[in-house]
Amino acid sequence: DTEVTQTPKHLVMGMTNKKSLKCEQHMGHRAMYWYKQKAKKPPELMFVYSYEKLSINESVPSRFSPECPNSSLLNLHLHALQPEDSALYLCASSRSGGRVDEQFFGPGTRLTVL
Amino acid sequence: QKEVEQNSGPLSVPEGAIASLNCTYSDRGSQSFFWYRQYSGKSPELIMSIYSNGDKEDGRFTAQLNKASQYVSLLIRDSQPSDSATYLCAVHQIIQGAQKLVFGQGTRLTINP
């Protein structure tokens, strides 16, 4: 299995809602990532988990809360989002987070905040 | 913030020709370089990685790296309309002790039949 899967594919939520994005990989990778991508822009790193521990938080607002329940799963909990948070949210994984690691992306969740 | 620069394009190439995509980076200590292809509305797909100076070939794709000039390129031979996409250059950098991929802005490539 060489896939990173993400659910849901699309999500529409109001500013007062709480929702979660899910990511799963079964490649034995020990580093997992959340990126945010706006239209016509490159992916922007949000969080990195390495061996199930949060290693990088790119000063992301607290309305985004990551969670890594085990080495295969990564969640992103969303609460009180703003319309400007509407974007494609990408999960990626890599073997260990080292310098030669190749990162593989999931298909993404298209989030719209009303 | 260390930078990765690409010509945003659009780059238009006739079908069957060679498409040449370029990327420069500012961190001389970078060791790993990646090219991703992203179709409109889809997620980035890794197509090439390169770590040593010189050329690396994979099918119709060739990645070229020149660390002295801080330059990495991607050549696509026999371009096909299905190659039309945005190509993202990504450079592995260590910033404030954290290892991360830094992406260029992407080059939009159009292959004209």
Side-chain angles (χ1 to χ4, degrees), chain B residues 76-90:
Chain B
I76 307 174
R77 288 183 301 282
D78 188 23
S79 298
Q80 303 296 309
S82 59
D83 296 325
S84 298
T86 295
Y87 289 81
L88 295 162
C89 172

Side-chain angles (χ1 to χ4, degrees), chain B residues 2 7 9 11 14 24 33 37-38 53 57 60 62-63 75 79 82 86-87 90 96 103-104 106:
Chain B
K2 307 294 177 64
N7 187 329
L11 176 63
T24 59
F33 307 86
R37 177 177 63 197
Q38 187 171 25
N53 279 331
E57 188 174 318
R60 295 186 297 110
T62 299
L75 302 178
S79 298
S82 59
T86 295
Y87 289 81
Q96 296 180 333
F103 286 87

Side-chain angles (χ1 to χ4, degrees), chain B residues 12-23:
Chain B
S12 186
V13 172
E15 184 175 357
I18 295 175
S20 178
L21 304 162
N22 304 317
C23 174

Side-chain angles (χ1 to χ4, degrees), chain A residues 44-63:
Chain A
E44 177 185 337
L45 183 65
M46 300 175 72
F47 302 104
V48 180
Y49 273 84
S50 180
Y51 292 85
E52 297 149 59
K53 293 195 184 317
L54 182 66
S55 61
I56 296 177
N57 177 341
E58 291 285 83
S59 303
V60 178
S62 60
R63 57 185 184 269

